[in-house]
Amino acid sequence: MRQIVLDTETTGMPVEEGHRVIEIGAVELVERRLTHRNYHQYLNPERVVDAGAFAVHGLSNDFLENKPRFAEVAEEFLDYVRGAELIIHNAAFDVGFLDAELKRAGFPPLSEHVDLVTDSLAIARHKHPGQRNSLDALCRRYQIDNSDRTLHGALLDSEILADVYLALTGGQWDLSFDNPAETATGGQAALGTIRRDRPRLRVIAPEAEAANAHAEWIERLRKADAAFEWPVIDS
C-alpha cells in the first residue's frame, strides 16, 4: 500500500480569487512506513503573496521570484503521486488549489491521477468529536514533537502529519528492529517504534504482602467460579 502525505502553502485564499500554490511538500509511506522518498517544491505563483499568508508561512515574493512555475513541474509532481492514496489535512483546501493549478497547466484534476484522497481532518473529527483537531492540537494529543513548527511549511507539515496520521489510525505502526522509522522532526524514533538499542526495561517485583494478597484474590475468584451454577438455556 503506497500512501503520500501531502501539504501545500498558498498566496492566500480562496482559490476562486486567483490565489496560487507556492509550495508543495509530500512524504511517502509504503505499508505504513516512511520511505524518506519525499517531494518538495517551491513555486513562482506569478502574483503577489497576501500579507496574511506571508505571516503564516514566511514565503516572500522575492524568495519565490526565481522558482519554477507549476506548469514546469506538473508532470514530475504527477509522476510522484500517481496511483497513490493521498492523505491531506483538510483535503478540500489543498485539492481545490492543486486542481486549479492542474487545469491552468492543461491536466485533468487530481482525482484522475491518484487512487484515493483521504482527509485526515475528517478522521480526527470522527474519532475526537467536539474537540480541536488542528495539526497542532493533534500533536499535543498524541505527544508528537512539533517544536520545529514556528512557521507553516509544506514539507515539515507533511512530515508531522505522517506521524499524526499513523498515531490517529493505528497507534503503534512500526515494530521493526532493523530499520526503525524516524520522525522527520529530529531523527528520534517515532511513537510506537521499538529500537534495538533501547535501554532495558526495569522490572519491579511486588513485595511479599502484595503478592500474597494477589494470590488470595485469585483463589477466591477460582472458588467462586467453581461454585457458580450456569443457567441451562433450552434450544
Side-chain angles (χ1 to χ4, degrees), residues 4-192:
I4 301 295
V5 185
L6 182 144
D7 185 57
T8 65
E9 299 297 340
T10 69
T11 59
M13 57 184 299
V15 66
E16 292 79 8
E17 293 183 4
H19 283 288
R20 305 287 300 272
V21 176
I22 57 175
E23 185 186 8
I24 303 172
V27 300
E28 181 184 61
L29 297 171
V30 175
E31 301 300 332
R32 293 177 64 83
R33 285 173 172 232
L34 289 166
T35 66
H36 305 293
R37 180 175 172 262
N38 301 342
Y39 179 88
H40 186 222
Q41 183 66 64
Y42 293 112
L43 299 164
N44 180 345
E46 302 179 276
R47 63 159 291 160
V48 173
V49 176
D50 277 5
F54 174 74
V56 171
H57 52 59
L59 299 177
S60 68
N61 298 300
D62 290 342
F63 174 77
L64 299 169
E65 183 178 3
N66 296 320
K67 300 299 183 286
R69 290 157 179 78
F70 181 85
E72 299 174 50
V73 302
E75 291 190 7
E76 177 186 73
F77 168 69
L78 291 174
D79 285 343
Y80 179 77
V81 301
R82 186 170 286 113
E85 175 190 2
L86 296 188
I87 299 162
I88 308 173
H89 209 61
N90 192 17
F93 177 89
D94 301 82
V95 171
F97 272 91
L98 289 170
D99 279 350
E101 295 290 351
L102 288 167
K103 184 177 181 179
R104 289 188 190 96
F107 291 91
L110 196 58
S111 60
E112 296 190 24
H113 303 277
V114 302
D115 182 59
L116 177 69
V117 177
T118 297
D119 188 349
S120 54
L121 178 58
I123 296 174
R125 284 174 172 168
H126 178 75
K127 190 168 183 178
H128 306 291
Q131 300 182 54
R132 294 188 61 196
N133 288 298
S134 66
L135 192 55
D136 285 338
L138 290 168
C139 284
R140 290 191 293 272
R141 189 169 301 144
Y142 288 101
Q143 299 181 343
I144 292 169
D145 182 14
N146 66 339
S147 57
D148 291 337
R149 195 177 187 244
T150 54
L151 288 173
H152 287 235
L155 183 59
L156 176 60
D157 283 3
S158 64
E159 290 170 336
I160 293 172
L161 178 57
D163 286 347
V164 167
Y165 173 77
L166 292 172
L168 189 65
T169 58
Q172 286 191 330
W173 61 84
D174 184 3
L175 297 179
S176 168
F177 292 96
D178 297 321
N179 183 27
E182 292 184 349
T183 62
T185 57
Q188 296 179 352
L191 180 66

